[in-house]
Amino acid sequence: MSPLGRYFHPLSPAGLWLGAAFLAVLLLLPVWGGSYVMTVATTVFYLALIGQSWNLMLGFAGLLSIGHALFVGIGAYTAAYLFAAVGLPPIVGVLPAIALAVLMGVLIGYLGFRFAIGGVYFALLTIAFAEFVRIIVDHVSWLGATEGFFLKVSSADRHGIDLVNLRGAPEMYYYLIMALALGALVLCRFLLRSRLGYYWQAIRDDAEAAEALGVNVLRYKMYAVIISSGMAGVAGVFYAFYQNSLFPEIVFNIERSIEATLGSIVGGVGTLFGPIFGTFILTPLGEIVTEAIDLLKHWGVIDPQIKLDGLKLLIWSFIVVLIVLFKPKGLWPWVCSRLRLTRPEAEG
Amino acid sequence: MDFWTLANAVASGLLIGLVYGLSALGLSVIFGVIRIVNFAHGEIMVMGMFFALLMFRWLGLDPLLSVPLAAALMFGFGYVLQLVVVSRVSHLPEHMQFLLLAAIAIMIVSALLLVFGPDAQGVDVDYAWNSFAVGELIIDYPKMFAAIAAVIVASLLLAFFKYTSTGKAIRACADNRMGAQVVGLNVSRLYALTFGIGAACLGAAGAIILLLFEVHPYLAPGYTLLAFVIVIIGGLGSLFGALVGGILIGVSEAMAALLFQPSMKSAFSFGLLILVLLLRPQGLLGKAVR
Amino acid sequence: MAALLRVEGVSKSFRGLLALNDVSFDVAERGIAALIGPNGAGKTTLFNVIAGVFQPDSGSVQLSGAEITGRRPDEICHAGIGRTFQIVKPFAQMTVLENVTVAALHSAGAVAAARAAARGFLEMLELDTKAAQHAANLTLPDRKRLEVARALATGPRLLLLDEVMAGLRPSETDRMVATLRGLRDETGLTILLIEHVMRAVMALSEHITVLHHGEKISEGAPERIVRDPAVLECYLGDQDR
């Protein structure tokens, strides 16, 4: 087996070819895709990165977070503020951004696990912290408060590649977030096959048994939170320099935290490829719906005055409800077995 | 700050807190019996608000008169939701049930957004600006009526659980599901009833609170979180605790608004929630159930 | 022979209910000892005290003379005690091999080494043909075997077995007995078991401690225990109910 083949061992030859073809299409996307397609694809990878971070906590280690927007937001605000205030380029600023996001994760994790807060109570703790920070940032004037925090960007910045300052053409952002999302995939795969992955899954399935087998449950839960919040912090830095504007009402909104969960649920919580797969279904689907409606309005089938703002989320959440009801393990394991994308003995 | 400013804030917080308490009662009832954390809580309440808004617009009905109608409508919604959707996931892990209800919550918000748009809308009753004074304590009519209505609905609910045979059967279910099945109670019907009753509380609370605040779809997550704060402070599953927690949060928010900034009041509640979760996760009044 | 495990004056009560009352006994190094008694005698509670799940209200637990009272379960595992659970606790979404690998990682440096070690324990417990199955799909006797394989894979000096023979057929019980005795003879493992299957208790154990209502009412060699009037009374009394 080739080194690459060994690396993707769980994939069958069919899965490997399909994956390679898919990757090739995505790599060449800027060649044939317009700016709109690029925007959508960038969003897909961005959400896939956050989804993987969330999946690492719930799917691998059994810790439900409904506060992932908090880690993303802290990463975003930290890097953006350091760039605007002292000119620290984001390639360096990403380090304090990760550090602060991880610090917040450690705080929540330590408090939660120390006091044996599990299950839905832990989820509520993450929500409470996210909302608490949102309201605080709402009132911090040097972070722009409710007015928003903006990064200066000129039209000259929209060309070329400046990875140090994260300024450049849309293609740069696309390839960057693609690399980050795929990097996260490689990291997750590595972790899942390591001691950490074994211990996390053991804790997820039965913490008491794991403890009896010598696993320091508190410590390994903490590692999951640290890695997950760090990944989300990186996503936040990307967001800040891609959007160039940060509003607490948007960045820290609980809806962002719930959005982070949707792709993974559709793809399959606890699977390696599930979060990416799910995001690749949901996001384009939402865009197709939006486009279809614009077209219908254009043709006069629907009154152009009608606003259909909530429709995309309505469809997304409806799909999630259907998935939880009928395919609670997610679509990825099902697609895998249908198309024989993975070897029978290996898990997706 | 003088005494009367403080007294006014406390009184106002107390009255609103009773409505909060009624809403939290809806969450507590559902959790106490079905052991499901209803993440679509605020969304159901906001549906009640919009219903009362339509009744006011179409029929000129005072929101307080809409209370029984909103309660009945939401009862039906909750009953069907439990019977058709939620009951199907009772075998799944707790977090999947939670996420299912979160998805349903987003569905409701999105649907409301499609129908009503994002703007805040309110009702305009003729007593909106009337008040009466006791000393320098000034009580607004809407707040007082809302509190009275909330107390009436909550009392009816508590009486239902205490005195009716169905209420007793539901309590038996909550204590021991297997036992309830053994003695021949139809558990899935009782669960549907319970979700219906919890949702009816929310419908009622929604109609009542429309008297005090304008409604828009994005209000919903805030109410969900507020109810979580209240029941966790009062103890998940404890009915009395929900009412007391509601008053506590109502008053403490009013105090926070007075002492800091009005917009900081919910940060205060979340801070309180974090403290309670850490120090006494079963709630201030709840028994250790986990 | 020196005592590997020494339990001294352990008492534990739950909400005022005394589950263990001043229980003391020793388990000899390389010995196989049994803990028996009617339901509710406090056997599993005692296991949980030894394994660090419960803190005793008073008394102490020592392993090779070292105090382990009040340590966390994972620390006690590191100290050299492996245990099974009466109500089996498989990692349901992991495969059988992965279940045992988790335990083997405890002493193995690398995942690959742990997986290899885990395969050995699966063979020993006759689970090797089911290595790739998810633990959720195992039958109850197989889950019991998985419990034993996992506990063994942590490389313990003392193995606590909580009713691992329950549900096994007599021939399977005999094979399990042979496996456990073989382990003791080859590796010097010490075993303490809770068991209702008297066939296994009598065949395996060299020393029996009898608990009743949280108190030790008798101990000694199996031949002595079966003739002890106090033991007979507590079992007969149990049948009357």
Side-chain angles (χ1 to χ4, degrees):
Chain A
M1 210 185 294
S2 69
L4 195 69
R6 191 155 53 236
Y7 193 80
F8 287 101
H9 172 67
L11 291 178
S12 67
L16 216 53
W17 280 114
L18 210 64
F22 195 53
L23 200 64
V25 169
L26 288 171
L27 278 171
L28 295 175
L29 192 71
V31 178
W32 56 269
S35 71
Y36 171 70
V37 173
M38 291 287 291
T39 310
V40 175
T42 306
T43 310
V44 169
F45 279 119
Y46 168 70
L47 289 175
L49 176 59
I50 299 173
Q52 290 185 84
S53 146
W54 178 82
N55 183 50
L56 190 147
M57 257 174 81
L58 179 69
F60 296 0
L63 302 166
L64 175 56
S65 156
I66 311 272
H68 252 56
L70 174 59
F71 306 132
V72 177
I74 287 178
Y77 267 97
T78 307
Y81 177 76
L82 289 175
F83 183 67
V86 296
L88 193 71
I91 199 158
V92 183
V94 70
L95 296 175
I98 293 175
L100 278 186
V102 166
L103 199 68
M104 183 51 89
V106 167
L107 179 69
I108 296 174
Y110 182 78
L111 290 173
F113 307 146
R114 201 73 214 152
F115 292 87
I117 293 164
V120 169
Y121 290 86
F122 181 74
L124 292 178
L125 192 66
T126 61
I127 296 177
F129 266 99
E131 286 292 299
F132 189 76
V133 171
R134 175 179 66 82
I135 298 163
I136 298 296
V137 176
D138 255 346
H139 291 82
V140 177
S141 54
W142 47 273
L143 288 178
T146 49
E147 306 295 308
F149 190 83
F150 298 92
L151 289 174
K152 281 202 197 85
V153 59
S154 66
S155 55
D157 290 334
R158 298 281 189 205
H159 303 286
I161 303 169
D162 180 359
L163 278 172
V164 173
N165 291 305
L166 283 193
R167 290 281 171 247
E171 287 83 2
M172 182 199 78
Y173 288 102
Y174 171 72
Y175 282 122
L176 175 65
I177 194 66
M178 182 176 177
L180 287 174
L182 294 180
L185 178 70
V186 170
L187 178 69
C188 282
R189 189 199 173 281
F190 168 76
L191 291 172
L192 209 51
R193 311 281 149 154
S194 75
R195 177 182 296 265
L196 276 173
Y198 278 90
Y199 283 180
W200 283 340
Q201 295 177 78
I203 292 169
R204 175 197 67 194
D205 284 2
D206 196 317
E208 201 188 335
E211 204 174 22
L213 298 179
V215 180
N216 185 334
V217 171
L218 179 75
R219 176 187 297 169
Y220 282 92
K221 276 184 177 175
M222 210 55 145
Y223 289 157
V225 176
I226 287 171
I227 297 172
S228 174
S229 52
M231 277 166 76
V234 173
V237 177
F238 176 85
Y239 178 89
F241 287 83
Y242 183 63
Q243 294 289 338
N244 297 308
S245 60
L246 300 171
F247 298 91
E249 293 302 325
I250 293 175
V251 174
F252 292 109
N253 197 309
I254 187 170
E255 249 179 46
R256 293 293 91 66
S257 291
I258 295 178
E259 271 171 20
T261 75
L262 301 180
S264 300
I265 299 172
V266 170
V269 175
T271 63
L272 206 52
F273 291 92
I276 296 184
F277 184 72
T279 317
F280 263 98
I281 292 178
L282 281 186
T283 306
L285 197 72
E287 293 306 320
I288 289 169
V289 168
T290 314
E291 285 302 296
I293 286 166
D294 282 351
L295 216 58
L296 288 177
K297 279 181 180 171
H298 183 71
W299 290 340
V301 182
I302 305 178
D303 181 358
Q305 299 301 315
I306 293 178
K307 285 206 176 111
L308 294 169
D309 292 344
L311 196 62
K312 189 167 83 179
L313 259 182
L314 181 66
I315 290 171
W316 280 7
S317 45
F318 182 63
I319 291 173
V320 170
V321 169
L322 291 181
I323 294 282
V324 175
L325 286 179
F326 300 108
K327 282 267 176 289
K329 291 197 166 144
L331 288 180
W332 175 252
W334 179 71
V335 168
C336 270
S337 65
R338 274 306 168 94
L339 300 181
R340 298 176 198 284
L341 295 183
T342 47
R343 292 164 192 281
E345 76 272 22
E347 285 180 300
Chain B
M1 190 187 325
D2 66 285
F3 170 76
W4 286 112
T5 318
L6 204 66
N8 270 308
V10 170
S12 151
L14 189 98
L15 295 175
I16 294 175
L18 283 165
V19 185
Y20 288 168
L22 174 62
S23 140
L25 212 52
L27 190 68
S28 223
V29 163
I30 293 172
F31 180 80
V33 179
I34 314 174
R35 295 275 142 189
I36 272 201
V37 179
N38 178 16
F39 206 75
H41 175 94
E43 285 71 13
I44 298 177
M45 186 163 156
V46 168
M47 279 162 77
M49 291 177 85
F50 273 114
F51 173 75
L53 180 77
L54 289 182
M55 288 296 107
F56 181 82
R57 287 225 180 118
W58 292 344
L59 308 172
L61 214 54
D62 185 293
L64 289 178
L65 297 176
S66 292
V67 166
L69 299 172
L73 188 75
M74 287 305 118
F75 173 85
F77 178 80
Y79 190 95
V80 172
L81 186 67
Q82 165 67 29
L83 207 62
V84 178
V85 181
V86 178
S87 65
R88 284 167 166 273
V89 297
S90 56
H91 64 284
L92 292 181
E94 191 185 35
H95 63 255
M96 285 309 269
Q97 306 176 357
F98 195 71
L99 291 170
L100 172 80
L101 281 155
I104 290 171
I106 301 186
M107 275 181 74
I108 296 174
V109 172
S110 316
L112 289 174
L113 203 59
L114 281 177
V115 178
F116 294 100
D119 299 328
Q121 307 168 56
V123 295
D124 197 10
V125 287
D126 10 318
Y127 52 85
W129 304 104
N130 293 4
S131 59
F132 68 93
V134 184
E136 286 185 50
L137 192 67
I138 297 155
I139 307 273
D140 301 337
Y141 276 176
K143 272 184 195 151
M144 193 182 60
F145 291 157
I148 292 172
V151 168
I152 291 173
V153 177
S155 311
L156 284 175
L157 187 80
L158 294 177
F160 167 80
F161 278 118
K162 201 161 169 120
Y163 299 114
T164 69
S165 59
T166 313
K168 286 177 188 165
I170 289 177
R171 268 165 50 208
C173 249
D175 289 342
N176 186 341
R177 181 180 177 164
M178 286 283 271
Q181 268 168 333
V182 168
V183 298
L185 294 175
N186 182 343
V187 172
S188 55
R189 191 182 137 263
L190 287 175
Y191 274 17
L193 267 177
T194 304
F195 210 114
I197 290 166
C201 277
L202 300 182
I208 292 171
I209 215 161
L210 185 65
L211 213 50
L212 309 179
F213 304 121
E214 294 187 320
V215 59
H216 59 92
Y218 289 125
L219 217 49
Y223 281 146
T224 304
L225 295 175
L226 191 69
F228 282 144
V229 176
I230 292 168
V231 296
I232 284 173
I233 285 170
L236 257 175
S238 152
L239 299 189
F240 186 66
L243 282 178
V244 175
I247 295 171
L248 215 63
I249 283 296
V251 172
S252 63
E253 284 201 341
M255 301 302 293
L258 194 66
L259 298 175
F260 307 108
Q261 290 177 48
S263 52
M264 284 291 275
K265 65 180 187 180
S266 40
F268 192 77
S269 309
F270 290 119
L272 209 58
L273 171 66
I274 291 167
L275 275 181
V276 172
L277 272 175
L278 295 178
L279 302 178
R280 210 178 141 69
Q282 71 273 35
L284 293 177
L285 299 170
K287 288 172 283 188
V289 288
R290 291 187 304 141
Chain C
M1 237 187 298
L4 178 68
L5 178 76
R6 169 157 288 172
V7 174
E8 251 176 6
V10 164
S11 295
K12 174 77 189 170
S13 57
F14 297 101
R15 294 187 195 139
L17 232 73
L18 204 58
L20 291 173
N21 188 10
D22 196 21
V23 176
S24 303
F25 69 98
D26 287 356
V27 178
E29 180 114 44
R30 310 194 104 213
I32 299 182
L35 201 55
I36 66 169
N39 285 325
K43 299 171 304 237
T44 296
T45 306
L46 186 55
F47 260 30
N48 281 329
V49 168
I50 297 170
V53 176
F54 298 145
Q55 309 280 319
D57 299 336
S58 60
S60 78
V61 182
Q62 292 155 26
L63 188 72
S64 297
E67 189 72 40
I68 56 166
T69 326
R71 309 278 290 278
R72 282 198 318 264
D74 56 301
E75 293 172 331
I76 288 180
C77 175
H78 283 272
I81 298 183
R83 62 130 354 149
T84 69
F85 290 91
Q86 181 192 358
I87 298 162
V88 293
K89 290 174 165 292
F91 304 127
Q93 296 179 61
M94 301 174 82
T95 66
V96 171
L97 179 65
E98 287 169 342
N99 264 265
V100 184
T101 305
V102 169
L105 272 168
H106 166 265
S107 45
V111 172
R115 281 177 82 93
R119 283 199 188 279
F121 289 106
L122 288 182
E123 267 168 45
M124 196 182 294
L125 273 302
E126 300 169 20
L127 280 169
D128 43 331
T129 55
K130 290 164 180 152
Q133 279 186 27
H134 279 103
N137 302 330
L138 292 182
T139 60
L140 186 62
D142 280 343
R143 288 179 190 209
K144 295 265 182 190
R145 286 196 184 92
L146 180 59
E147 286 279 327
V148 180
R150 271 194 332 201
L152 277 175
T154 64
R157 282 191 288 161
L158 171 67
L159 185 62
L160 303 179
L161 300 176
D162 198 345
E163 291 197 29
V164 291
M165 318 275 185
L168 297 190
R169 284 191 293 271
S171 63
E172 295 174 322
T173 305
D174 291 345
R175 283 214 300 281
M176 180 76 97
V177 165
T179 306
L180 292 175
R181 176 165 306 132
L183 266 169
R184 191 269 306 263
D185 293 344
E186 286 159 29
T187 65
L189 182 70
T190 306
I191 297 172
L192 173 63
L193 45 102
I194 294 175
E195 201 50 73
H196 278 302
V197 180
M198 289 318 271
R199 180 190 178 94
V201 174
M202 298 314 283
L204 262 177
S205 47
E206 294 142 1
H207 186 93
I208 296 178
T209 305
V210 188
L211 286 185
H212 187 42
H213 292 319
E215 295 188 27
K216 183 174 81 178
I217 58 166
S218 181
E219 70 175 321
E223 311 80 57
R224 203 184 77 72
I225 292 297
V226 291
R227 280 193 292 276
D228 186 336
V231 176
L232 293 175
E233 197 203 339
C234 93
Y235 272 95
L236 289 176
D238 195 48
Q239 278 170 1
D240 283 348
R241 261 186 267 147

